């Protein structure tokens, strides 16, 4: 397995790659997890405790290419059979270096992007990664379609493997409402995200400001940190709702966070199949989200959640208002979503990845199973 970094800053894609590496059969596969940047924090400690072989290249930036020579030496010396890379940077360098080192099977695993603009990335995905990789993994049917139609990745190379719910360590029974001074009985709408432009959280703030006119007791909680935090605080102030919008920062106690939410919300411009969706399903928190990317693969609109058009604050506000006003609707959506969790467990993801490995090994006539 190859990822950019393994740390507490890592997003859902990195956590999924790390869990796959830790949970794939050690009897069937000899696995090394390679991080092109670093391995640290509680996630690194967890993997070290799992007795997983780790390789940190310690790149300091995108133009720091010298450490990639360590990867090439490792692939040659260890005679790796499968190089499974995750996300664009690792996909590019992994397939390029893997091909130069004659690794028999190269898997590029894309965890989504906008598929808009950025002609260089489209070219590299379609004409370089898509041609060099043995398989290109998409996390949703929508992403598979865009890889083929927009980036021109050969259709026969694209395989869909949905992401999975990865339980996080228990938060120890905290009370986020009490921390934020939110009284019992006050409706709380919340989200957990890296605060970056993709998440379009200004749209959520606009929707909340519209909702606040008819539901003045509601609170909005935006958990996470990132480059857009200052902009979001200014947006809440400009909309006149700053005193009802809470920014508790980065949290690892997601169970504590979700217990504080009555309704979860996502306003993203694009997504693959995000971990937050599964966390809401598992914790029985009804979700209102924009109808983008692979959300339809997990959310049956009107039955297991509510989907609204992207960049439409009025539609988002209307959907949130319906759930605030209807306890029975919230419970019904949450229960139906929880019943679907069997399709998105870590066990199913491990099974799907193992089946892909075995199929490709059989096609390549390989019996060994050294994976990086």
């Amino acid at each position: 397995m190859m990822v950019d970094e393994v740390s507490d800053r890592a997003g859902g894609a990195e956590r999924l790659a790390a869990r796959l590496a830790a949970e794939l059969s050690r009897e069937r596969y000899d696995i090394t997890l390679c991080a092109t940047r670093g391995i640290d924090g509680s996630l690194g400690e967890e993997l070290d405790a799992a007795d997983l072989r780790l390789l940190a290249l310690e790149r300091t930036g995108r133009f720091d290419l010298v450490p990639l020579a360590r990867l090439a030496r490792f692939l040659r010396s260890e005679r790796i059979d499968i190089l499974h890379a995750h996300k664009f940077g690792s996909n590019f360098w992994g397939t390029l270096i893997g091909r130069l080192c004659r690794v028999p099977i190269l898997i590029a695993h894309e965890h989504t992007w906008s598929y808009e603009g950025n002609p260089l990335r489209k070219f590299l995905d379609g004409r370089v990664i898509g041609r060099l990789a043995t398989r290109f993994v998409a996390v949703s049917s929508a992403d598979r379609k865009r890889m083929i139609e927009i980036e021109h990745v050969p259709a026969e190379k694209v395989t869909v493997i949905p992401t999975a719910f990865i339980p996080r360590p228990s938060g120890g029974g905290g009370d986020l409402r009490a921390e934020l001074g939110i009284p019992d009985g006050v409706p709380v709408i919340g989200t957990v995200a890296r605060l970056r432009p993709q998440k379009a959280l200004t749209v959520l703030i606009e929707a909340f400001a519209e909702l606040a006119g008819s539901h003045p007791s509601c609170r909005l909680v935006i958990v996470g940190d990132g480059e857009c935090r200052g902009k979001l605080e200014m947006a809440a102030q400009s909309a006149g709702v700053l005193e009802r919008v809470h920014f508790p920062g980065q949290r690892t106690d997601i169970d504590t966070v979700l217990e504080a939410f009555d309704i979860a919300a996502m306003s993203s411009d694009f997504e693959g199949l995000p971990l937050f969706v599964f966390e809401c399903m598992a914790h029985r928190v009804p979700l209102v989200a924009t109808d983008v990317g692979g959300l339809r693969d997990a959310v049956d609109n009107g039955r297991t959640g509510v989907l609204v058009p992207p960049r439409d604050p009025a539609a988002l506000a209307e959907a949130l208002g319906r759930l605030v006003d209807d306890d029975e609707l919230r419970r019904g959506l949450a229960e139906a979503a929880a019943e679907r969790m069997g399709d998105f467990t870590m066990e199913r993801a491990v099974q799907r990845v193992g089946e892909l490995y075995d199929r490709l090994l059989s096609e390549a006539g390989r019996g060994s199973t050294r994976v990086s």
Side-chain angles (χ1 to χ4, degrees):
M1 293 283 177
M2 180 178 174
V3 294
D4 292 342
E5 68 173 330
V6 174
S7 73
D8 292 339
R9 300 178 299 276
E14 292 86 351
R15 290 199 298 275
L16 176 66
R19 293 315 315 160
L20 285 172
E23 296 190 22
L24 280 161
S25 170
R26 302 295 178 83
E27 295 180 359
R28 183 73 181 91
Y29 312 107
D30 181 5
I31 300 172
T32 300
L33 179 65
C34 171
T36 61
R37 295 184 185 267
I39 299 174
D40 58 33
S42 60
L43 182 55
E45 293 173 0
E46 180 183 340
L47 294 175
D48 189 52
D51 197 27
L52 183 69
R53 184 163 58 166
L54 305 174
L55 173 65
L57 301 184
E58 304 293 351
R59 292 183 70 198
T60 58
R62 68 174 62 181
F63 300 111
D64 183 16
L65 304 182
V66 174
L68 293 171
R70 289 186 59 204
L71 175 63
R73 290 194 296 271
F74 173 80
L75 294 175
R76 289 193 182 104
S77 66
E78 297 294 322
R79 297 175 178 248
I80 296 299
D81 299 292
I82 301 173
L83 176 57
H84 185 169
H86 293 258
K87 299 184 69 174
F88 175 66
S90 292
N91 287 342
F92 175 75
W93 291 114
T95 53
L96 185 62
I97 295 171
R99 186 62 66 192
L100 291 173
C101 293
R102 300 180 182 274
V103 176
I105 297 167
L106 301 173
I107 300 173
H109 199 136
E110 180 53 71
H111 292 262
T112 207
W113 70 292
S114 66
Y115 297 91
E116 296 177 359
N118 201 338
L120 177 59
R121 175 158 181 180
K122 291 178 186 175
F123 173 81
L124 293 175
D125 269 352
R127 305 300 181 184
V128 179
I129 300 170
R131 294 308 189 267
L132 294 178
T134 312
R135 287 291 188 278
F136 213 149
V137 175
V139 297
S140 71
S141 55
D143 277 10
R144 181 182 189 276
K145 181 178 180 181
R146 286 181 291 197
M147 283 182 178
I148 296 167
E149 295 182 354
I150 298 174
E151 296 183 324
H152 306 295
V153 178
E156 66 274 11
K157 286 194 172 187
V158 186
T159 297
V160 176
I161 298 181
T163 47
F165 171 56
I166 307 171
R168 305 196 209 197
S170 172
D175 187 339
L176 182 60
R177 284 177 177 256
E179 289 181 39
L180 300 177
I182 301 174
D184 291 340
V186 168
V188 173
I189 298 163
T191 194
V192 180
R194 297 180 73 173
L195 308 188
R196 54 189 178 190
Q198 169 197 348
K199 302 300 181 178
L201 290 166
T202 53
V203 176
L204 177 57
I205 291 172
E206 290 176 40
F208 178 74
E210 185 168 334
L211 176 68
S214 56
H215 299 76
S217 66
C218 285
R219 302 288 185 93
L220 175 62
V221 177
I222 299 176
V223 175
D225 213 342
E227 62 192 278
C228 293
R229 177 161 180 163
K231 180 181 179 181
L232 296 173
E233 291 173 342
M234 290 178 60
Q237 184 172 27
S238 297
V241 292
L242 183 59
E243 72 282 359
R244 282 180 277 174
V245 180
H246 303 269
F247 295 91
Q250 191 72 33
R251 306 278 296 223
T252 58
D253 55 341
I254 298 302
D255 56 342
T256 298
V257 169
L258 289 171
E259 284 171 9
F261 294 174
D262 295 294
I263 303 164
M266 291 181 62
S267 52
S268 302
D269 284 334
F270 63 91
E271 289 287 354
L273 198 49
L275 176 59
F276 183 58
V277 172
F278 302 137
E279 290 174 325
C280 293
M281 293 168 73
H283 287 85
R284 289 176 165 77
V285 181
L287 174 68
V288 178
T290 44
D291 187 5
V292 296
L295 269 294
R296 287 195 180 199
D297 286 4
V299 179
D300 182 358
N301 188 27
R303 193 180 76 84
T304 65
V306 179
L307 298 176
V308 299
R311 292 282 167 178
D312 191 339
L316 182 54
E318 189 275 333
L320 291 171
R322 276 192 287 126
L323 266 65
V324 169
D325 291 335
D326 193 333
D327 293 349
E328 186 174 341
L329 175 59
R330 293 201 305 273
R331 284 193 296 271
L333 293 173
E335 290 301 321
E339 291 174 3
R340 285 213 61 196
M341 279 303 299
D343 293 335
F344 304 107
T345 62
M346 198 65 224
E347 291 77 13
R348 281 292 289 130
V350 168
Q351 179 185 359
R352 287 165 172 146
V353 170
E355 288 171 352
L356 176 62
Y357 287 178
D358 291 346
R359 184 165 63 252
L360 295 178
L361 286 165
S362 177
E363 291 174 2
R366 311 288 290 197
S368 56
T369 52
R370 297 181 69 78
V371 180
S372 177

